[in-house]
Amino acid sequence: MAPLTIETPHVAAEVLEQRNSLLDKFEKGSSQQPQVLRDADAAAYRKMRAEGTNGFVPPRFLPEAENITIRTRDEQEMKLRIVRPTSGKSHGCFLHFHAGSLVFGSAAGQDFYLARLANDLGLTAVSVDYRLAPEYPFPKSQEDSVDAALFALSSAGIEKLGGPLRLLVGESAGAYLAVRVALSLRDHHNVPVAHKLAGLICSYGTYDLSYTPSLLSHTRNIIVNRENLQLCTEAAFPKLSTMDRRDAKYSPLYADLRNMPPALFLCGTEDPFIDDNVFMASKWSLVGNHAELKLIPGAGHAFTLIPAGEVQNAGLSEIVKFAKALLLL
């Protein structure tokens, strides 16, 4: 068993009050937006988000970001979004898996977030435009993500992306995919991930698709709510019962987690997936892997992705601190 670092950073009462006010603001905004798979089908919902209609804010794009395409195992073209550091030389790359409950989101949805990490870490950000449910149910998202990792590990990928693959990074469903990719590389592609990768950075991920107590008891609608998370899970894993989804090939909390790289599990205390992260960090450590669990007081879901000032910076600082320590090893 490896030591598990658990930290809930102290914040002043006035800062916590500000964070709670921000959560109230986000909840008011979320209540005025259509809900995916309840009020709109997946395609219509993605269109609203991309165009900034119905209360959504459209994504902002960096003009210097690049798109390249690779071939998937079923001979489809898949886009990778490349954001290179501008403040110095790149010393490799990190593979990024975007949020969106495996139903929405895209590789081009978080350019500024990726640029900050790219510059702070001196790595090229490579975001994966994996296929989405319900049109492409699981395991397509995992297969596409693994194919992107195999490309990044190849000599052609190292040349194209400016250096070796160092980190797997993801938020929400993307954190789930980061873990699934590491497991698949180890189990199906003979990649010694504990030595090949510096680490994983997993922000507010879901790891038990049969639902943890914190999700089942979650009553707020801050960016996400219990109903839409469950609707998306059922769309991504159709024809599977809740108990079926406890199988290790779906829920990584039930997988053999031995010989995994160091991992950061970052989550807000107001996030419906807080139990997933507490449980996953504990199991990661119990089998001998290095794990750090950082719980940010007064932070809700997606807090590192949303321009939210102080609380966003608090989360990004934890990511950068953890990653820099790994990259120096």
Side-chain angles (χ1 to χ4, degrees), residues 158-176:
I158 291 171
E159 181 178 358
K160 186 74 173 178
L161 302 176
L165 176 61
R166 306 301 311 280
L167 302 167
L168 302 180
V169 178
E171 306 80 39
S172 194
Y176 167 85

Side-chain angles (χ1 to χ4, degrees), residues 15-205:
V15 173
L16 189 58
E17 184 177 351
Q18 291 169 3
R19 292 182 184 182
N20 287 330
S21 295
L22 190 62
L23 292 176
D24 291 341
K25 177 183 175 182
F26 287 149
E27 186 162 29
K28 182 178 179 181
S30 297
S31 68
Q32 298 170 353
Q33 296 169 341
Q35 183 170 306
V36 65
L37 302 178
R38 187 193 70 182
D39 305 319
D41 65 26
Y45 183 79
R46 293 174 201 140
K47 188 171 186 289
M48 293 176 202
R49 292 177 63 93
E51 296 177 352
T53 60
N54 297 83
F56 293 106
V57 177
R60 297 184 302 146
F61 305 112
L62 281 172
E64 61 266 31
E66 312 164 40
N67 293 319
I68 66 170
T69 58
I70 63 171
R71 306 293 291 186
T72 63
R73 66 188 67 189
D74 56 354
E75 292 301 315
Q76 300 299 306
E77 286 193 345
M78 178 172 63
K79 182 175 73 176
L80 301 179
R81 180 82 165 173
I82 313 298
V83 179
R84 302 183 191 276
T86 57
S87 58
K89 181 182 177 182
S90 177
H91 300 284
C93 72
F94 68 85
L95 209 58
H96 172 259
F97 309 101
H98 66 78
S101 299
L102 304 181
V103 169
F104 58 93
S106 76
Q110 51 282 308
D111 282 1
F112 286 83
Y113 167 78
L114 295 176
R116 176 166 175 179
L117 293 183
N119 283 313
D120 284 352
L121 300 179
L123 298 176
T124 297
V126 183
S127 193
V128 182
D129 217 26
Y130 57 85
R131 282 173 281 186
L132 300 170
E135 297 91 335
Y136 299 98
F138 194 87
K140 281 301 178 191
S141 55
Q142 174 181 293
E143 291 173 353
D144 288 351
S145 298
V146 171
D147 290 346
L150 292 172
F151 172 74
L153 290 166
S154 70
S155 56
I158 291 171
E159 181 178 358
K160 186 74 173 178
L161 302 176
L165 176 61
R166 306 301 311 280
L167 302 167
L168 302 180
V169 178
E171 306 80 39
S172 194
Y176 167 85
L177 287 174
V179 174
R180 290 238 55 93
V181 166
L183 289 168
S184 183
L185 290 175
R186 182 198 67 184
D187 295 342
H188 305 298
H189 299 280
N190 298 315
V191 176
V193 289
H195 305 290
K196 197 75 173 176
L197 301 175
L200 276 67
I201 297 174
C202 301
S203 301
Y204 36 88

Side-chain angles (χ1 to χ4, degrees), residues 229-247:
L229 290 170
Q230 290 176 317
L231 286 172
C232 288
T233 298
E234 290 160 10
F237 299 86
K239 302 179 181 178
L240 291 177
S241 70
T242 301
M243 292 302 294
D244 288 338
R245 293 197 300 268
R246 285 189 176 178
D247 191 297

